[in-house]
Amino acid sequence: MTLSTRRQAKRAARRAARRALPRWRRLLPTWRITLGALIAALLIAVGAFAVLYVIVPVPDANAHAVAQNNIYLYADGTTEIARTGAVNRTDVTIDQIPAQTQHAVVSAEDRTFYQNRGIDLKGMLRAGWNTLLGKGMQGGSTITQQYVKNYYLTQDQTIERKGRELFIALKVDQQRDKKDILAGYLNSSYFGRGAYGIQSAAHAYYGEDVSALSVAQGAYLAALLQAPSSYDVKTATPANREKAVARWNYTLDGMVQLGFLTPAERAATTFPELLDPQPATGLSGQAGYLVGVADDYLVSAGIIDAATLKAGGWRITTTFDKPRQEAFVKAVQDELTGELDPRARPATDTDVRVAGASVEPATGRVVAVYGGPDYAKQPFNDALRQDNQIGSTFKPIDLAAGLIAQHTLDGRPITTESRYDGASERPVTGGPTPYAPPNEDDVDYGNITLRYAMVKSVNSVYAQEGVDAGLARVRDTAIKLGIPDSVRGMDPANTSMTLGTATPSALDLAGAYATLANHGDATAPWSVQKLERVHSGGAVDIPKMPDHTPVTAIGRGFADAVTDVLRDVVSPRGTGAAALDLGRPAAGKTGTTDSNLSAWFAGYTPELATTVGLFRENPKTHAKEPLAGTAGLTRINGGTFPTRIWTAYMTAALQGTPTQQFDLQTDHDAPAPDLTPNSSTTPTGTGSATTAPATAAATPGTTPSATTPAHDTPTHAPSAPAPTGGDPAPGPTPTSPAAPSPPAPQPTPTQDQPSPAPKPTQTRPTRPTDPPTATAPAPATKPATSATPPPQ
């Protein structure tokens, strides 16, 4: 039998044997077929890989790798504010980078770097497996792949980009030395603080050249590569600070494991000291503050992420009006800075700071902010900070909540003319915590209307009215008007919330008052109107900007009723009398906090809502210090420098524009405002609203007796110590060398002036055992200060 015949016989036998198998078994391929298929698939894969390797080129450097500016423009679209962005880069050679810093980066980012061929299949498979197991998205990229992504490609998370990255990484590894690849990676990576490349990072975090980095410093910069902004221990949250330190330890432990560091050297290494974040060059004057507000808006609104913004190349047209911005700066200089004398009064006239913001009520456009005197000298934006209590500027929110409720929790009506007991230190009834706030200079006002209590900023009245409205409703009203729900001091579990323990920023507060000015329709403040980026190839990125459609926060009748009352604050009898110099219809409220730690004026015309806050802060500890004694005044109330700055700014900002009147629709036929304390009526002691609004007439705007001291009126400091700050506030007495104001005279009562009689002895009412019916979950954050805050 020939060889051919024998093969044919074997094949026939195999076919016969297979036909004899059950049907299900015959459907399975033989080992020969399986092996052949696998070999064919492997050959196809190898061929495809080879073809792709050949056809995928190493491209030119991408736009992110070529430093670009971000250009910020004023609202006119042509006047430049500043240039910032990814231009903070200085390339260095690998020889300039200490070997231990190189080793730290390898330990942190790719421990197989010196052995792998540009990719790490084992690491990629491990990362994929961990992702499938639900351990979160895992990264398996080598340093070469990350360099390719930074320098040649984009940050897009797509399969196509990842595939190109793999092939280019293989080519780059073949074509370039490992030292060149590592240098390219370190020069192109982002380290936070606007620093691209390790040289810029060394200056940003340590103020020195990269060649001078220690082991500890290099390890920290290597740790930053995983999360540049989150791991900056000077600005990170406590949780992220712990993660940053853990990543630093992981890097050092890896250096020991790889033989780059001895255990003894590792044990002797301590966490390095970092510089505070420094202002970027070119952001001096007001530019840095404006850029900060614009960046904060872009990122917080979700228009663009921080990394993409920092990559540069964007042309950003803001809403800031250059003449108004300059007017704000001039107002602060003219009305405050010129009055300070740090040499003569170093204990009180240093470290005085101003926070300000100005918003168009109808549109929500931020037209000007004041974040500090010079970003190059003070790189902290006071216009955005949320750590100063706003005091009595919160009282209009109490009033709005009461008008919305219409009745107290036990059924009595609340209107702007409802009467309350204005006795100083009268205990609040029905509140969740005991509270008996004093009025400024401990004046007893007798039985007065809510309108008059706002005009004189009577603490005892609005502490009670807020509780009567329902603290949960007060908090909800504040949030609807525009106060962020995350700020401290808005806990309905604390009765003192009614007098302004909340700590919104100047911009937040301007937005809330803009809502009142816009008849209850709210538009969140916004500061960027256009954003675009042109690529080198001609393509243009234009992210979609949010719509700014007003949303009804509170009814027009309620908002207009509050405005009607706040107009009386800006009157000869009111604490905001200094704003009369504006010469236009205006409404507003002063505020001074406990221990005179801050002073405010928040006000508006139909065209513009503006807030001005004043405070002192220790530059080293950042602790708040009393304003008492500043510029030689006993105390600094909201009616002094804040109102003067507000008036000077608004005068310039509105110059040349037609005067507009308030178009108020209060939705009720209220009697003429009665600003007269009812001296013949014995206060009930409860402080709750009476069963009917007052009916006695009074003419708004009547000038009070010349002998009557107005709240928020400064007096020059005598030698005696001072009481708590104006727009009074309960709480501890300031320790500054300020002195009390002269005692209030006792004029004959008129419709405009309460009778500040000596405090009568009265039985303090007890709190009801049942809590208020309106409750709300308390915010996670407690008030920053004691439960008895400030205000007027």
Side-chain angles (χ1 to χ4, degrees):
M1 182 181 291
T2 65
L3 179 60
S4 176
T5 304
R6 284 197 302 269
R7 288 177 177 172
Q8 291 177 359
K10 286 180 180 180
R11 283 199 292 270
R14 286 198 299 269
R15 286 196 294 269
R18 186 169 183 80
R19 284 195 295 270
L21 294 174
R23 180 178 179 83
W24 66 269
R25 180 63 183 82
R26 295 199 303 271
L27 295 176
L28 297 176
T30 65
W31 66 270
R32 290 180 177 83
I33 296 174
T34 301
L35 180 60
L38 289 175
I39 292 173
L42 181 60
L43 290 173
I44 293 173
V46 171
F49 189 92
V51 171
L52 289 173
Y53 183 86
V54 171
I55 66 174
V56 174
V58 176
D60 294 331
N62 64 29
H64 290 190
V66 180
Q68 296 187 71
N69 289 320
N70 279 334
I71 303 174
Y72 294 80
L73 304 173
Y74 279 105
D76 60 14
T78 58
T79 307
E80 188 172 307
I81 298 174
R83 288 175 177 255
T84 71
V87 295
N88 185 19
R89 183 203 312 274
T90 303
D91 288 352
V92 292
T93 66
I94 195 66
D95 294 331
Q96 293 175 270
I97 304 172
Q100 291 290 45
T101 299
Q102 299 177 40
H103 297 156
V105 172
V106 170
S107 173
E109 294 294 300
D110 180 10
R111 294 181 180 179
T112 68
F113 173 70
Y114 291 112
Q115 292 79 40
N116 65 50
R117 296 301 180 187
I119 64 173
D120 182 4
L121 290 176
K122 183 179 179 180
M124 294 170 66
L125 291 173
R126 181 177 62 251
W129 179 251
N130 288 337
T131 300
L132 290 175
L133 291 179
K135 296 182 180 179
M137 291 295 293
Q138 302 286 310
S141 297
T142 63
I143 283 178
T144 307
Q145 287 176 271
Q146 293 181 62
Y147 166 57
V148 166
K149 178 178 66 175
N150 290 343
Y151 194 76
Y152 297 109
L153 302 175
T154 68
Q155 305 296 318
D156 296 339
Q157 298 295 321
T158 63
I159 295 176
E160 186 270 343
R161 197 274 297 161
K162 193 69 178 177
R164 293 183 65 207
E165 173 188 302
L166 186 146
F167 289 105
I168 296 172
L170 288 170
K171 284 190 172 184
V172 168
D173 187 77
Q174 291 295 315
Q175 298 170 6
R176 300 181 64 180
D177 185 85
K178 288 287 188 181
K179 286 187 175 182
D180 292 338
I181 294 172
L182 185 57
Y185 173 63
L186 291 175
N187 282 322
S188 62
S189 295
Y190 180 61
F191 289 83
R193 297 192 180 184
Y196 281 82
I198 196 162
Q199 173 75 308
S200 297
H203 283 280
Y205 289 93
Y206 306 115
E208 58 191 16
D209 191 86
V210 64
S211 61
L213 291 177
S214 67
V215 172
Q217 291 172 333
Y220 177 70
L221 294 184
L224 280 172
L225 288 166
Q226 187 179 65
S229 299
S230 299
Y231 285 0
D232 186 342
V233 296
K234 285 292 186 177
T235 59
T237 62
N240 282 337
R241 193 174 297 117
E242 291 180 5
K243 292 179 181 178
V245 174
R247 183 70 175 176
W248 178 78
N249 283 313
Y250 166 83
T251 300
L252 291 173
D253 292 339
M255 293 178 70
V256 174
Q257 178 186 333
L258 296 174
F260 298 138
L261 200 64
T262 67
E265 291 171 330
R266 166 68 178 95
T269 305
T270 58
F271 195 82
E273 182 63 29
L274 275 64
L275 296 176
D276 287 330
Q278 300 298 307
T281 56
L283 296 179
S284 60
Q286 294 298 302
Y289 305 122
L290 300 182
V291 167
V293 173
D295 286 355
D296 182 75
Y297 168 70
L298 289 170
V299 174
S300 63
I303 300 168
I304 191 173
D305 63 81
T308 303
L309 180 61
K310 288 292 185 183
W314 295 99
R315 185 179 178 88
I316 302 164
T317 304
T318 69
T319 59
F320 305 122
D321 183 84
K322 190 172 188 294
R324 287 174 171 174
Q325 182 63 36
E326 292 174 344
F328 218 143
V329 175
K330 188 175 187 300
V332 174
Q333 292 173 342
D334 291 349
E335 301 299 329
L336 174 65
T337 309
E339 299 291 326
L340 301 178
D341 190 346
R343 290 186 178 181
R345 295 181 291 269
T348 59
D349 282 17
T350 56
D351 308 319
V352 180
R353 301 170 75 150
V354 176
S358 190
V359 176
E360 285 184 351
T363 65
R365 293 174 69 251
V366 183
V367 298
V369 297
Y370 188 88
D374 186 346
Y375 190 76
K377 298 177 181 178
Q378 181 198 298
F380 299 96
N381 196 333
D382 290 332
L384 296 179
R385 64 189 305 157
Q386 294 179 328
D387 60 353
N388 289 305
Q389 294 184 349
I390 60 170
S392 290
T393 57
F394 194 82
K395 285 174 183 172
I397 298 174
D398 294 327
L399 178 59
L403 297 177
I404 292 169
Q406 299 185 41
H407 296 84
T408 64
L409 294 177
D410 57 1
R412 284 165 290 182
I414 299 178
T415 72
T416 60
E417 314 310 322
S418 295
R419 287 187 174 275
Y420 273 74
D421 180 1
S424 183
E425 296 189 64
R426 186 194 57 74
V428 175
T429 63
T433 55
Y435 194 37
N439 297 327
E440 184 170 11
D441 295 328
D442 212 25
V443 174
D444 286 335
Y445 284 90
N447 195 358
I448 58 175
T449 64
L450 286 177
R451 179 185 295 272
Y452 189 81
M454 186 72 75
V455 169
K456 290 298 181 184
S457 202
V458 181
N459 287 336
S460 57
V461 168
Y462 275 94
Q464 183 65 57
E465 187 272 342
V467 169
D468 289 347
L471 295 182
R473 179 177 283 109
V474 171
R475 183 178 191 276
D476 180 64
T477 301
I479 293 169
K480 287 180 177 177
L481 288 173
I483 304 297
D485 61 0
S486 58
V487 302
R488 295 175 297 172
M490 286 210 302
D491 185 353
N494 289 327
T495 308
S496 59
M497 181 186 80
T498 54
L499 296 189
T501 56
T503 60
S505 69
L507 184 55
D508 296 330
L509 187 59
Y513 271 64
T515 301
L516 294 173
N518 199 35
H519 312 293
D521 289 344
T523 304
W526 53 285
S527 55
V528 176
Q529 53 184 321
K530 188 176 181 182
L531 181 67
E532 61 181 353
R533 178 172 62 181
V534 180
H535 294 278
S536 57
V540 181
D541 290 335
I542 305 179
K544 178 176 174 53
M545 303 299 289
D547 294 327
H548 303 290
T549 304
V551 176
T552 298
I554 63 175
R556 174 167 185 165
F558 304 128
D560 285 359
V562 173
T563 297
D564 185 46
V565 171
L566 295 185
R567 287 194 303 173
D568 285 336
V569 175
V570 184
S571 69
R573 72 173 62 80
T575 59
L580 285 170
D581 289 345
L582 177 63
R584 288 171 176 259
K589 183 70 187 77
T590 55
T592 310
T593 62
D594 193 22
S595 300
N596 207 183
L597 294 181
S598 62
W600 292 84
F601 185 74
Y604 51 92
T605 66
E607 306 94 333
L608 212 54
T610 301
T611 56
V612 177
L614 191 67
F615 62 98
R616 290 184 67 231
E617 178 176 288
N618 186 297
K620 295 182 178 178
T621 66
H622 302 295
K624 298 297 186 300
E625 298 177 341
L627 287 165
T630 299
L633 302 181
T634 300
R635 61 188 173 214
I636 303 300
N637 293 339
T640 58
F641 291 118
T643 306
R644 286 166 50 184
I645 293 170
W646 183 93
T647 305
Y649 161 72
M650 291 287 281
T651 299
L654 297 174
Q655 186 175 9
T657 64
T659 299
Q660 295 186 27
Q661 303 293 327
F662 285 110
D663 178 20
L664 302 183
Q665 300 175 14
T666 57
D667 286 353
H668 62 80
D669 296 324
D674 178 10
L675 300 183
T676 310
N678 189 342
S679 57
S680 63
T681 303
T682 302
T684 62
T686 65
S688 297
T690 57
T691 55
T695 57
T699 305
T702 305
T703 304
S705 169
T707 60
T708 305
H711 281 222
D712 288 317
T713 301
T715 56
H716 286 279
S719 58
T724 52
D727 262 315
T733 301
T735 57
S736 61
S741 299
Q746 310 285 323
T748 303
T750 67
Q751 286 187 325
D752 303 316
Q753 173 60 39
S755 176
K759 294 179 58 177
T761 301
Q762 58 180 331
T763 302
R764 300 297 191 189
T766 58
R767 290 178 55 226
T769 56
D770 295 328
T773 56
T775 59
T781 308
K782 299 295 183 184
T785 62
S786 66
T788 57
Q792 261 194 1

